[in-house]
Amino acid sequence: MDMPLPDPSILSRKARIVDRLRAILPHDAVIDAPAETRAYDCDALTAYRCQPLAAVLPRTTAEVSAILRLCHEEGVPVVPRGSGTSLAGGALPTADCVILGVARMNGVLETDYANRFIRVQAGRTNLSVTGAVEADGFFYAPDPSSQLACAIGGNIAMNSGGAHCLKYGVTTNNLLGVTIVLMDGSVLQIGGAHLDPGGLDLLGVICGSEGQLGVVTEGTLRILPKPEGARPVLIGFSSNEVAGTCVSDIIKAGVLPVAIEFMDRPCIRACEAFAKAGYPDCEALLIVEVEGSDAEIDEQLALIRAIALRHDPVEFRESRSEEESKRIWLGRKSAFGAMGQINDYICLDGTIPVSALPHVLSRIGEMSRSYGLDVANVFHAGDGNMHPLILFDANKPGDLELSEALGADILKLCVEVGGCLTGEHGVGVEKRDLMPVQFTPDDMEAQMRVKDVFDPQWLLNPAKVFPLGATSARRGA
Amino acid sequence: MMTLRPADEAELSALLRGRTGPLRVIGGATRVLWFGGAADLLDCTALSGITLYEPGALTLVAGAGTPLAEVERVLAAEGQRLPFEVPDLRGLLGTAGVSTLGGVVAANASGPRRLQAGACRDSLIGLRFVDGTGMAVKTGGRVMKNVTGYDLVKLLAGSHGTLGVLTEVSFKLLPVPGASATLVLRGLDDASAVQAMAAALGSPFEVTGAAHWPGEGTFLRIEGFADSVAYRSGRLARLLAPFGSADMLDGDDTARQWQAIRDVAPFHDRPGDVWKLSVKPSDAPGLVARLAADAVLYDWGGGLVWVRTAPGADLRARLGPFEGHATLIRADAPVTAVFQPQPAPLAALAAALRRKFDPRGILNPGLMG
């Protein structure tokens, strides 16, 4: 993958830039020794690495502002970083950049149950937001798989989703306001405890802009009362097509489960071997979870059972206890870990219209055979967000490139059937060069104009989201 | 003054490419005040028609000029709906046009269910627009989860035609629940009503509407399967017992009551200016006390306040600084800006975005600042 050449004039000024950063930050907030900056050379897309010029770890919005103002003056690119869990290379450094990590900014600033929001610093982890309010019966809904580690700032940058967004939406639907610092150091408050910020929806375009418009330092998040209970059911089918039709029928029937997860046979087998969750050995498996009181759950599950039985399932297992619920989720939640045990893998993230599910699964099967690489499928079926896992051997020369080519073909297929390249992981560097598959030059031009307004010198999180060829004129400006 | 009515996106694009004079962009012209002076009308109603509806995927795509009523009818036949309960403001504003989907999106128009199901922009999953230079742009798509590129969908929703003219919009939908009911608490003052609504919204019983109509009552709506509605409304009534005993409205009365709240019926055929405030719910009663209003109606648990005042009063001056914003919805004369002026740094960003997308300043000039 191509990255722009580092600017030699910046590299030659490293000592001066680091000295200036030290002058405005506490001593322990600036890291420049190569042995230490190595910790920031990649995110969760570990195939690509590059050591940054330096890394800074501010504790306050004022420090973030001072850092950005200085880097703006020096013309130094800045790569914002939450917890470094991006699967798309969203926090991949360039050699001439300063990594701005918000991990030390992890406080809760305000909790307000009457108005149902929490205000946190951007480095706070997703799960610990819920942790701060759950004793009082509330939770923060978006729940990416990495929620134990990932930071709210990263969630806002990537507009993260999760397994439960069929009912609760993704980050942008649960974000009320931000404090954001622009590249020139100016600090803006957008939105807050009221609904719908006035004027143009800047909050909406900042969320999901992959850290390219500004550095979010605080977020005001909507919190919700916890449901009385939740219960999953596991349904096994003898074909992917039938499982796909069942998903569509459940949705059409007016039930709105909080989650509908789908696993195919390669994934079921790997998870079973790894987690021993007691899954049936079948072609396709659905986990459907509904919420409410016991009686409400019974009512919804009865409806789901009636729909499922029309499709002749090989297994219909309803949880009757907390323990059984955990076992049903166990395999699904350990899917990525299970795959990691048996192979190296690339995790894709395309979304397709739910109606295209059977067609896409059968095409992925054909592609997998023609490339000679196994693909396991696990995904959020209710909203069509697929996570095909392409298994390869990192020690085998050419295998990574081959699996990337297969991944690109699968994502092109997603776009071809009316879907998109990425449902919740973001474009980053990973899917940057595929953007023209989904967008015309004019579509991308419109997006890049927004970047022009927020960051005219194109210094924030460079070489991400848009193909390098499309941005070269702007980056050189 | 001329009315221009492009037949399709290509015609619209050609029109805007060659245009130099100001345009007032309209669908049915049913929602927003216009004090912008003389401008030709750009009528978008020819960009009409549902292009895709997949009930099994909860997805609808339609031309921006498609009448809202047509969409609602088609969805109802499949037991589905737009989640955000679009207000019909014709009774309030005395307008008579046909509301269009594009107009709904341009105004980010959201009704009582906004507090649970999100605003119009939260259900909007994609759109096409033509900017002020004539460039046609697609953003988002027809799938619910999509983080590919910047989310211009949100930026365009609520931009009131100032960044571009919408040509096509895509929504995610929700099934219409089988049953609904409304609890009514009577005789609460504004402050107690907001507290009661906060208690209800902080409960796990999934309230989908929370409004306070002074003099009429405090209304809390529950929707879902029949048994579940009965169970939750019972539990909610017990939870709210400290605020008094609740009356219960059945499904038909619930529909009527919430339509009245959604459309601000208490202000129909009553004189005076009308404002809409978006505030932190618990701040609402205190802010209302500063207003010397003729009447108010609280929705969204207090987060939305409809205010009726004597004509010509500058409500923002009476409010002073507060967290939120006030929009002028109905007035005979331009008392002040329709939309709340933003803090300088945000206003500068918004102005810069408008210059990028509409460099000649021809699209609804002056409407948003």
Side-chain angles (χ1 to χ4, degrees):
Chain A
M1 185 197 46
D2 288 338
M3 287 297 271
L5 288 174
D7 181 340
S9 88
I10 294 173
L11 299 180
S12 70
R13 277 182 287 135
K14 175 175 176 177
R16 168 196 153 93
I17 292 161
V18 169
D19 283 350
R20 288 196 67 192
L21 286 166
R22 288 231 159 84
I24 57 168
L25 292 169
H27 186 72
D28 67 346
V30 182
I31 294 166
D32 71 318
E36 293 175 55
T37 56
R38 176 151 300 157
Y40 299 94
D41 72 357
C42 72
D43 53 23
L45 185 69
T46 53
Y48 300 101
R49 292 169 191 272
C50 175
Q51 274 186 254
L53 193 75
V56 289
L57 301 171
R59 289 185 173 82
T60 64
T61 297
E63 287 180 1
V64 172
S65 168
I67 292 163
L68 290 176
R69 201 162 44 238
L70 191 159
C71 290
H72 187 245
E73 271 172 37
E74 293 279 353
V76 178
V78 172
V79 173
R81 181 180 169 105
S83 300
T85 57
S86 172
L87 292 163
L92 178 69
T94 54
D96 56 4
C97 88
V98 168
I99 286 274
L100 193 163
V102 294
R104 286 178 178 170
M105 303 177 66
N106 60 4
V108 173
L109 303 170
E110 187 181 1
T111 310
D112 184 334
Y113 296 123
N115 296 302
R116 298 169 305 288
F117 72 85
I118 184 170
R119 199 156 56 84
V120 299
Q121 288 184 304
R124 192 165 184 90
T125 62
N126 174 291
L127 198 59
S128 72
V129 172
T130 289
V133 294
E134 68 180 338
D136 294 301
F138 285 81
F139 74 111
Y140 175 61
D143 60 340
S145 303
S146 56
Q147 67 181 150
L148 186 63
C150 65
I152 288 298
N155 289 181
I156 293 170
M158 306 310 264
N159 190 13
S160 304
H164 290 79
C165 52
L166 184 57
K167 177 168 179 186
Y168 294 112
V170 296
T171 302
T172 191
N173 311 115
N174 292 276
L175 180 67
L176 296 168
V178 292
T179 300
I180 185 169
V181 187
L182 303 189
M183 190 65 213
D184 65 5
S186 55
V187 179
L188 305 180
Q189 307 286 342
I190 303 178
H194 57 287
L195 296 174
D196 304 329
L200 294 176
D201 191 354
L202 302 179
L203 186 64
V205 76
I206 285 166
C207 187
S209 62
E210 308 207 4
Q212 292 198 312
L213 302 186
V215 178
V216 169
T217 58
E218 293 174 18
T220 302
L221 312 172
R222 181 171 79 137
I223 51 172
L224 298 171
K226 267 196 295 196
E228 288 183 86
R231 213 186 302 156
V233 56
L234 184 149
I235 318 171
F237 292 98
S238 54
S239 92
N240 287 330
E241 286 77 5
V242 177
T245 313
C246 184
V247 169
S248 185
D249 286 356
I250 289 171
I251 289 172
K252 255 192 294 196
V255 196
L256 191 67
V258 280
I260 306 181
E261 297 291 297
F262 188 121
M263 299 163 76
D264 71 356
R265 184 189 282 274
C267 188
I268 298 165
R269 285 198 168 154
C271 291
E272 190 52 29
F274 180 76
K276 302 192 175 43
Y279 285 174
D281 188 20
C282 56
E283 279 303 314
L285 207 143
L286 299 179
I287 298 173
V288 184
E289 180 159 283
V290 296
E291 283 182 349
S293 67
D294 274 340
E296 291 174 288
I297 288 172
D298 288 342
E299 191 180 11
Q300 295 175 74
L301 288 185
L303 198 58
I304 290 170
R305 171 190 282 271
I307 294 165
L309 291 184
R310 289 206 297 271
H311 295 289
D312 212 7
V314 297
E315 171 110 11
F316 186 94
R317 189 188 304 166
E318 203 173 308
S319 161
R320 276 156 314 205
S321 67
E322 188 72 9
E323 192 48 41
E324 285 184 24
S325 297
K326 276 199 185 126
R327 278 178 66 77
I328 287 179
W329 274 112
L330 177 68
R332 166 63 185 91
K333 291 200 167 167
S334 50
F336 292 2
M339 288 297 163
Q341 283 272 310
I342 54 174
N343 260 97
D344 301 301
Y345 68 83
I346 306 185
C347 173
L348 304 180
D349 177 44
T351 305
I352 57 166
V354 177
S355 50
L357 212 53
H359 168 69
V360 169
L361 286 173
S362 96
R363 286 284 296 126
I364 289 177
E366 288 163 28
M367 290 177 181
S368 155
R369 283 188 292 281
S370 94
Y371 272 86
L373 291 169
D374 285 335
V375 178
N377 283 292
V378 49
F379 54 91
H380 315 303
D383 48 35
N385 187 193
M386 310 187 71
H387 293 307
L389 303 175
I390 302 174
L391 310 183
F392 71 101
D393 181 353
N395 293 322
K396 192 170 149 194
D399 231 27
L400 170 65
E401 291 73 17
L402 192 65
S403 61
E404 285 179 336
L406 171 55
D409 279 352
I410 292 175
L411 293 181
K412 285 175 191 164
L413 172 66
C414 291
V415 175
E416 187 188 300
V417 300
C420 65
L421 298 171
T422 173
E424 58 184 0
H425 294 171
V427 177
V429 290
E430 190 201 21
K431 285 157 299 242
R432 182 190 71 189
D433 297 322
L434 289 173
M435 285 286 276
V437 175
Q438 188 176 330
F439 295 114
T440 66
D442 284 354
D443 297 340
M444 286 191 287
E445 169 67 22
Q447 297 178 33
M448 292 190 290
R449 282 182 191 166
V450 175
K451 168 86 168 159
D452 290 339
V453 166
F454 281 79
D455 175 22
Q457 280 85 40
W458 280 63
L459 290 171
L460 266 173
N461 214 8
K464 315 281 166 66
V465 184
F466 306 106
L468 293 184
T471 60
S472 56
R474 288 174 150 98
R475 282 181 291 113
Chain B
M1 199 174 72
M2 255 168 48
T3 298
L4 306 162
R5 192 169 179 270
D8 54 30
E9 189 181 273
E11 216 176 288
L12 171 65
S13 182
L15 186 162
L16 290 175
R17 237 188 331 263
R19 180 77 192 184
T20 48
L23 287 166
R24 180 185 170 202
V25 188
I26 59 164
T30 66
R31 298 187 182 279
V32 177
L33 280 175
W34 175 258
F35 295 124
D40 290 340
L41 291 180
L42 177 56
D43 173 336
C44 303
T45 54
L47 306 163
S48 180
I50 295 169
T51 46
L52 179 140
Y53 176 33
E54 277 189 11
L58 298 173
T59 315
L60 174 103
V61 183
T66 312
L68 174 64
E70 179 188 332
V71 169
E72 288 179 331
R73 203 164 46 240
V74 169
L75 297 183
E78 292 287 337
Q80 298 186 346
R81 66 186 180 193
L82 295 169
F84 48 94
E85 207 171 4
V86 187
D88 179 350
L89 296 184
R90 289 175 297 182
L92 179 70
L93 300 180
T95 49
V98 174
S99 175
T100 63
L101 272 195
V104 169
V105 169
N108 190 25
S110 320
R113 201 174 293 106
R114 189 260 174 272
L115 88 178
Q116 189 253 355
C120 170
R121 57 88 109 172
D122 293 296
S123 293
L124 191 65
I125 53 180
L127 54 80
R128 297 185 59 85
F129 68 97
V130 179
D131 79 356
T133 69
M135 185 171 87
V137 176
K138 174 192 74 176
T139 172
R142 53 168 285 207
V143 290
M144 288 186 201
K145 271 171 90 180
N146 184 350
V147 295
T148 322
Y150 295 171
D151 193 352
L152 303 186
V153 173
K154 304 287 185 298
L155 187 64
L156 268 288
S159 67
H160 291 282
T162 59
L163 299 179
V165 180
L166 301 170
T167 58
E168 185 181 85
V169 291
S170 316
F171 284 104
K172 78 176 175 190
L173 312 166
L174 279 181
V176 179
S180 62
T182 298
L183 272 70
V184 191
L185 297 163
R186 309 278 183 193
L188 298 181
D189 62 30
D190 293 5
S192 310
V194 169
Q195 282 170 21
M197 292 191 285
L201 292 166
S203 80
F205 307 123
E206 294 200 67
V207 171
T208 70
H212 175 60
W213 181 338
E216 283 286 314
T218 307
F219 300 89
L220 297 156
R221 181 175 58 189
I222 304 269
E223 299 173 288
F225 293 108
D227 290 352
S228 164
V229 168
Y231 165 80
R232 284 183 284 144
S233 43
R235 290 286 306 270
L236 190 61
R238 283 207 293 285
L239 178 79
L240 296 175
F243 295 95
S245 73
D247 298 341
M248 199 74 73
L249 305 182
D250 67 11
D252 288 343
D253 284 342
T254 288
R256 267 192 294 278
Q257 184 64 50
W258 286 97
Q259 184 176 339
I261 293 165
R262 183 194 76 183
D263 300 344
V264 208
F267 296 180
H268 294 193
D269 307 318
R270 307 296 300 273
D273 292 353
V274 174
W275 292 74
K276 186 174 127 176
L277 269 53
S278 175
V279 300
K280 181 156 91 174
S282 59
D283 288 349
L287 290 170
V288 165
R290 294 184 206 165
L291 294 177
D294 290 343
V296 296
L297 172 66
Y298 297 83
D299 197 356
W300 301 353
L304 169 66
V305 190
W306 295 96
V307 183
R308 188 164 60 80
T309 63
D314 184 351
L315 212 66
R316 290 189 199 111
R318 291 187 191 168
L319 281 165
F322 70 105
E323 188 187 334
H325 50 96
T327 309
L328 184 57
I329 296 291
R330 185 179 81 186
D332 293 329
V335 190
T336 173
V338 168
F339 297 98
Q340 175 107 21
Q342 294 187 284
L346 293 184
L349 278 178
L353 285 168
R354 282 194 299 270
R355 277 195 302 276
K356 282 279 180 192
F357 286 92
D358 177 24
R360 278 169 280 145
I362 57 173
L363 300 173
N364 287 343
L367 179 59
M368 293 194 82

